[in-house]
Amino acid sequence: MAHTLPPLPYDENALAPYVSAQTLSFHYGKHHTGYLNNMNKAIAGTELESLSLVDLIRTVAKNVEQKTLFNNAAQVWNHTFYWNSMRPGGGGEPGGTLGELIKDSFGSYDEFKKQFITAGTTQFGSGYAWLVKDGEKLVVTKTPNAETPLTDESKVPLLNMDVWEHAYYLDYQNLRPDYENAFADNLINWEFAEKNLERVFAG
Amino acid sequence: MKCSVSTLAAILCLVAAALLPTAAEAQITIPTPTITPPTVTVPSVQPPSVTMPSTQPSATQASTSASGYPYKLAPLPYDYSALEPYIDAETMKLHHDKHHQSYVDNLNKAIEKYPDLQKRSPEQLLRDLKQIPEDIRAAVRGNGGGHVNHTMFWEIMKPKGGGEPAGPIAAALRTNFGSFDAFKTQFNEAGTKRFGSGWVWLVSNPGGKLEIVSTANQDSPITDGKYPILGNDVWEHAYYLKYQNRRADYLGAWWNTLNWDEINRRFQKASTGL
């Protein structure tokens, strides 16, 4: 059965001025939908069609000959995760369990933010910055293109920030760090990240 | 405890003083050993006043300068708006003045502590990438590639360009690909298929045969021993303001900008063993 995209979790203009409605319209309506269509076309009529999205990604990740399918499938998952990593009125220092874990892992929220932004800025070309749970600690990582921590089952992704140029070029042009700062200060959906953490704790 | 207005102001002032430098630092602090990207804000730098002709082969090679930085950004060989409507002026300005400048600055920074390397042309750095000290190899690969690739890119385009190729390259394309149209189709397909950021190239391989290849990010065919005769930038920054997700439209329109005289010059250079 063909996969479908969940709707954006907010209106297209909900993240403005940090991410514009125009950017979200292209990003969700063209890029994300494009990856979905390419993936569905590639798996149609094959046994891969019966797999869940996560199982599909983990299965084809092991086969270099299925790189194109991996790229499209992983981008379907990465983007849904990215939409949920943001919310209107988000960002800033989190409290609760996550706030404590961030202090334990990075020393301070500011140190986390610095590492997260550096990861995004130094991801040369297209890719993502991530906050992941690795054992009992949280760590910041970066991945090129469609690569995703989902394929490393020892790590649990908590949130991601898309640094493909299409994620910010209409709004920030070459100023990727400005986008990253706006993302950290005004968009991060810490409730989503905390939910991912609880899911892990629940096994 | 009574908190007077002046005390509150003093606390706010202290908090601001503590936070502001952190926020500013987060934007500009980049560990030197890793590749620094094209997206870092750079102060606008006045291009050198010397006009570099578009056929000048050493546009990437800087003369020694008072600042001690060996590599310089040559001015764009035409107006920002000269390639309209195929490439818009805003894209050209950002692409040349910000992205390309940033590769030049970061390349200069990367080789700062290696005076011997500063004497080499950026093409030489890329050709012998394996000999570059490991701590700066990724930075040279990304930023040296970014410098050389973009220098070629500006030169192989011109206002009122495009059309059918003439000269030796026209015959070579027919021999290698059957026809100019067949070459364009294969080239555009390779550009569309490049996943993420990168380039699509017509190169002369070590045996002298022409082939279409694609590289990721700013990787240069020179590192693989291949000479780039022409190449198109398919990083999203090359087309997103005008074409957004429609990369194929950009690839199709780009042929209208080509400077076949310069491409023939590069082809001759490849044929005569660099």
Side-chain angles (χ1 to χ4, degrees):
Chain A
M1 215 179 78
H3 292 266
T4 55
L5 293 188
L8 266 185
Y10 31 73
D11 289 345
E12 277 184 355
N13 63 5
L15 305 182
Y18 309 111
V19 173
S20 68
Q22 194 195 11
T23 291
L24 278 186
S25 170
F26 281 111
H27 204 170
Y28 179 80
K30 301 294 183 185
H31 293 279
H32 198 184
T33 305
Y35 295 126
L36 176 83
N37 293 341
N38 289 340
M39 176 188 75
N40 278 334
K41 218 158 95 184
I43 61 172
T46 75
E47 57 190 18
L48 295 170
E49 211 174 8
S50 60
L51 297 179
S52 73
L53 180 59
V54 170
D55 285 344
L56 172 65
I57 293 165
R58 287 176 172 164
T59 302
V60 297
K62 295 167 192 146
N63 186 349
V64 288
E65 285 171 16
Q66 287 177 308
K67 189 69 183 175
T68 302
L69 174 55
F70 168 81
N71 285 339
N72 284 299
Q75 284 293 70
V76 171
W77 190 89
N78 288 344
H79 278 88
T80 301
F81 199 77
Y82 171 64
W83 309 135
N84 283 293
S85 293
M86 301 185 285
R87 70 170 180 88
E93 186 171 355
T97 314
L98 200 54
E100 288 305 313
L101 259 175
I102 282 179
K103 281 195 199 94
D104 287 351
S105 302
F106 299 100
S108 67
Y109 167 76
D110 285 346
E111 179 58 26
F112 152 73
K113 182 182 157 182
K114 192 173 144 188
Q115 285 188 28
F116 190 64
I117 287 173
T118 301
T121 304
T122 56
Q123 176 50 52
F124 192 72
S126 306
Y128 295 84
W130 302 82
L131 176 64
V132 302
K133 186 166 180 288
D134 184 5
E136 292 310 305
K137 289 278 182 196
L138 305 188
V139 291
V140 163
T141 62
K142 58 182 174 177
T143 55
N145 296 332
E147 304 304 313
T148 170
L150 205 57
T151 52
D152 176 356
E153 291 181 46
S154 70
K155 295 192 175 67
V156 180
L158 302 182
L159 65 89
N160 71 354
M161 173 169 65
D162 190 344
V163 294
W164 281 60
E165 289 176 321
H166 65 233
Y168 62 85
Y169 211 80
L170 296 178
D171 300 329
Y172 299 89
Q173 294 84 47
N174 62 308
L175 306 177
R176 189 189 289 189
D178 287 4
Y179 155 72
E180 294 167 335
N181 272 289
F183 184 94
D185 293 343
N186 305 288
L187 294 177
I188 292 178
N189 183 351
W190 287 116
E191 289 76 5
F192 174 68
E194 179 132 350
K195 218 182 291 170
N196 290 328
L197 200 58
E198 283 163 5
R199 203 167 66 196
V200 178
F201 284 151
Chain B
M1 190 187 105
K2 194 180 168 188
C3 185
S4 74
V5 173
S6 61
T7 311
L8 183 61
I11 289 169
L12 285 174
C13 184
L14 282 172
V15 169
L19 289 178
L20 284 175
T22 311
E25 196 183 20
Q27 285 199 30
I28 56 165
T29 307
I30 293 153
T32 45
T34 53
I35 299 178
T36 43
T39 47
V40 179
T41 312
V42 291
S44 68
V45 175
Q46 282 299 321
S49 56
V50 183
T51 308
M52 197 76 81
S54 65
T55 49
Q56 172 61 254
S58 59
T60 53
Q61 174 87 69
S63 51
T64 47
S65 71
S67 66
Y69 286 126
Y71 305 117
K72 294 229 184 306
L73 176 62
L76 197 64
Y78 34 77
D79 288 346
Y80 298 120
S81 62
L83 305 181
E84 298 262 17
Y86 311 110
I87 303 180
D88 59 287
E90 192 186 356
T91 294
M92 289 301 289
K93 192 165 171 44
L94 287 162
H95 202 171
H96 178 270
D97 293 7
K98 301 295 183 185
H99 292 280
H100 191 171
Q101 182 72 62
S102 174
Y103 295 123
V104 173
D105 292 345
N106 288 326
L107 177 63
N108 280 325
K109 226 179 296 170
I111 61 160
E112 209 163 18
K113 60 176 177 169
Y114 294 98
D116 285 353
L117 294 181
Q118 295 172 15
K119 294 173 197 141
R120 298 192 193 176
S121 73
E123 289 86 352
Q124 284 172 318
L125 296 176
L126 295 172
R127 193 173 305 134
D128 306 322
L129 196 59
K130 284 183 188 146
Q131 296 168 13
I132 302 294
E134 211 177 329
D135 64 327
I136 61 161
R137 197 179 301 153
V140 168
R141 177 179 169 181
N143 295 300
H147 183 28
V148 171
N149 296 343
H150 284 90
T151 301
M152 173 221 64
F153 188 57
W154 313 131
E155 292 177 349
I156 61 156
M157 299 190 290
K158 68 166 190 174
K160 301 191 177 71
E164 293 281 323
I169 191 70
L173 290 176
R174 270 198 303 276
T175 308
N176 283 271
F177 301 97
S179 69
F180 177 50
D181 281 347
F183 160 67
K184 276 205 297 193
T185 303
Q186 283 181 45
F187 187 93
N188 288 350
E189 198 179 300
T192 310
K193 279 190 178 159
R194 164 52 50 196
F195 188 76
S197 308
W199 290 75
V200 53
W201 307 94
L202 174 70
V203 298
S204 171
N205 72 20
K209 194 172 159 44
L210 300 191
E211 58 177 352
I212 293 168
V213 297
S214 161
T215 58
N217 299 325
Q218 295 297 351
D219 288 352
S220 165
I222 293 172
T223 306
D224 299 325
K226 296 172 178 177
Y227 184 78
I229 294 167
L230 64 88
N232 195 0
D233 187 347
V234 295
W235 280 61
E236 287 171 322
H237 65 235
Y239 62 85
Y240 209 80
L241 295 182
K242 186 173 174 71
Y243 297 91
Q244 294 88 40
N245 60 302
R246 299 180 303 279
R247 186 191 285 184
D249 289 357
Y250 159 73
L251 281 159
W254 179 72
W255 298 100
N256 295 304
T257 68
L258 292 193
N259 178 349
W260 288 109
D261 289 342
E262 171 63 9
I263 293 163
N264 265 306
R265 192 195 65 77
R266 294 183 68 89
F267 176 56
Q268 299 280 37
K269 196 174 166 191
S271 315
T272 53
L274 310 188

